[in-house]
Amino acid sequence: MNDVAVLGAGMHPWGKWGRSFVEYGTAAARAALADAGIGWQDVRSVVGADTVRGGYPGHVAGATFARALGWQGARVTSVYAACASGAQAIDSARAQILAGLAEVVLVVGADSAPKGFFAPAGGDRPDDPDWLRFRLLGATNPAYFALYARRRMALHGDTLDDFAQVKVKNAAAGALNPYARYRKAVSAGQVASSAVVADPLRLLDICATSDGGAALVLSSMEYARGHGAGNPVRIRAVSTVTPTYPRTVLDLPDIATDSAAAVEPPSTGFRESIARAAYEEAALGPEDLSLAEVYDLSTALELEWYEDLGLCGTGEGAGLLREGATALGGRIPVNASGGLASFGEAVPAQAIAQVCELTWQLRGTAGERQVAGARAGITANQGLFGHGSAVVAVR
């Protein structure tokens, strides 16, 4: 087995605090170290999930957190993979542990996000698809979310109420989470009456941009046992696969698809392949899961993940939601944390925060949102430019 132990998990509450990402990440790191019961001096490696909004590249790197915690000689790694940054940072830390380069690794991600929806960085970059879709189409992220929603409505018969019920479910869970930005129940009527952002999606269908931080302390299984953690939560798999040519479904940030005239489309789509690789490495399947934390940039996208994770068949996501299977107390709760619907996006931190939630759930310490008897969970994220990630944690 290639398991590594999760000794500690910590977060800084999400919100719009208007302070430096360094403050959020350092607070999360100290919380994770305290949770692990070890000192900063015991950490031999730091992996930072980078933000692109905090200043020059050298400043937003993993060394920033090492400096803030106090120079002590640990090796440092910096990872940027858009919204998958946190999971790829976890993967880097796991690789170092399994290679014997470090027994204890601190993984940190934090962000100070702008107000409103994300926009491209300044400057002219005509070979950058993210720059092109803003400059040529004016296509913000919600425009893509709306296209995905319309596709589900056309292909599978999903309704506006189905999308609204995803928000209702996640808001109910987020109301129980002290780290969530939005901690208030929401009704389907409130979703329906919120402002239209990109038809058919309303404001409450789309996640916000947020400040926040999350951190994990990972170690070898030998170190964990020596430290008194005989049965820790374990990371069993991390998937970071890329798409397969041809891509016949429009995806962020591209503004065109590949032609399938000469090459048949792959049998497994990109998001589905992310989860499949994680399942294969972990030697388990969707039927073994107790819960899932998925990347709900919009309510409609959460329904897509149900299918991509194999929790139900293609086109059956809304049905799974309607039967209550993905709510707290259901057969397979999804986004028991409240998801991005309750947190908003703090890009480098969100995939780490998902694993924090799995850790607390698998320990049985998630309080009012606890999933009974949780034994295995999966996370799923998708970043711009073909970055995908999924993490499987077990106990």
Side-chain angles (χ1 to χ4, degrees):
M1 281 293 183
N2 289 329
D3 289 0
V4 298
V6 182
L7 286 188
M11 291 176 64
H12 182 289
W14 258 235
K16 263 291 196 291
W17 310 115
R19 300 194 293 273
S20 168
F21 76 96
V22 183
E23 181 177 333
Y24 311 140
T26 303
R30 288 177 175 145
L33 289 167
D35 186 46
I38 66 172
W40 163 232
Q41 293 288 347
D42 298 315
V43 173
R44 301 318 309 146
S45 179
V46 180
V47 183
D50 292 355
T51 173
V52 296
R53 284 172 292 276
Y56 290 104
H59 175 60
V60 301
T64 298
F65 299 117
R67 177 179 181 271
L69 292 165
W71 295 127
Q72 46 89 315
R75 69 165 58 222
V76 67
T77 306
S78 301
V79 176
Y80 181 72
C83 293
S85 295
Q88 292 208 12
I90 292 169
D91 195 35
S92 179
R94 182 181 70 141
Q96 291 180 21
I97 292 168
L98 295 177
L101 298 175
E103 280 198 304
V104 183
V105 183
L106 174 67
V107 181
V108 191
D111 204 359
S112 298
K115 184 177 180 180
F117 301 118
F118 291 126
D124 291 343
R125 298 180 308 284
D127 58 347
D128 177 348
D130 201 35
W131 182 90
L132 287 170
R133 53 112 171 185
F134 278 99
R135 293 294 187 268
L136 297 184
L137 298 182
T140 62
N141 290 9
Y144 286 82
F145 307 158
L147 290 172
Y148 303 152
R150 281 291 177 197
R151 185 173 187 271
R152 288 200 62 83
M153 295 172 79
L155 292 180
H156 308 310
D158 290 8
T159 67
L160 296 182
D161 187 62
D162 290 328
F163 302 152
Q165 292 300 333
V166 174
K167 175 67 174 184
V168 171
K169 172 186 72 71
N170 289 346
L176 305 176
N177 193 331
Y179 295 105
R181 176 178 176 181
Y182 301 106
R183 299 189 60 198
K184 184 187 296 185
V186 172
S187 69
Q190 287 174 304
V191 179
S193 62
S194 63
V196 174
V197 175
D199 190 65
L201 299 179
R202 273 60 180 167
L203 184 64
L204 294 184
D205 282 304
I206 298 170
C207 77
T209 61
S210 290
D211 297 358
L216 296 165
V217 176
L218 306 181
S219 78
S220 66
M221 293 302 297
E222 293 75 17
Y223 182 94
R225 295 186 186 103
H227 192 66
N231 184 30
V233 172
R234 304 182 301 282
I235 291 177
R236 179 151 290 173
V238 183
S239 164
T240 59
V241 299
T242 54
T244 300
Y245 177 85
R247 296 184 74 179
T248 55
V249 177
L250 189 68
D251 212 348
L252 272 166
D254 298 313
I255 56 177
T257 57
D258 299 325
S259 171
V263 181
E264 286 291 321
S267 59
T268 302
F270 176 39
R271 281 190 291 267
E272 185 182 354
S273 71
I274 297 169
R276 180 171 295 186
Y279 290 142
E280 289 176 356
E281 183 180 349
L284 53 72
E287 67 279 1
D288 301 307
L289 298 175
S290 305
L291 73 159
E293 287 287 312
V294 307
Y295 184 52
D296 58 317
L297 290 170
S298 79
T299 51
L301 279 176
E302 177 167 321
L303 298 179
E304 290 270 339
W305 281 114
Y306 296 175
E307 299 163 20
D308 295 327
L309 293 181
L311 306 182
C312 60
T314 301
E316 297 175 358
L320 197 68
L321 174 78
R322 292 169 195 159
E323 69 184 53
T326 59
L328 287 175
R331 174 172 60 82
I332 177 67
V334 176
N335 285 337
S337 66
L340 295 182
S342 299
F343 278 76
E345 283 199 273
V347 171
Q350 54 209 33
I352 301 171
Q354 288 179 325
V355 178
C356 287
E357 180 67 18
L358 291 191
T359 299
W360 295 323
Q361 290 285 353
L362 296 176
R363 287 177 179 173
T365 60
E368 293 180 87
R369 64 185 190 281
Q370 179 64 50
V371 175
R375 305 300 299 172
I378 192 170
T379 71
N381 255 277
Q382 182 183 358
L384 291 178
F385 314 113
H387 293 117
S389 71
V391 179
V392 173
V394 300
R395 191 173 192 189

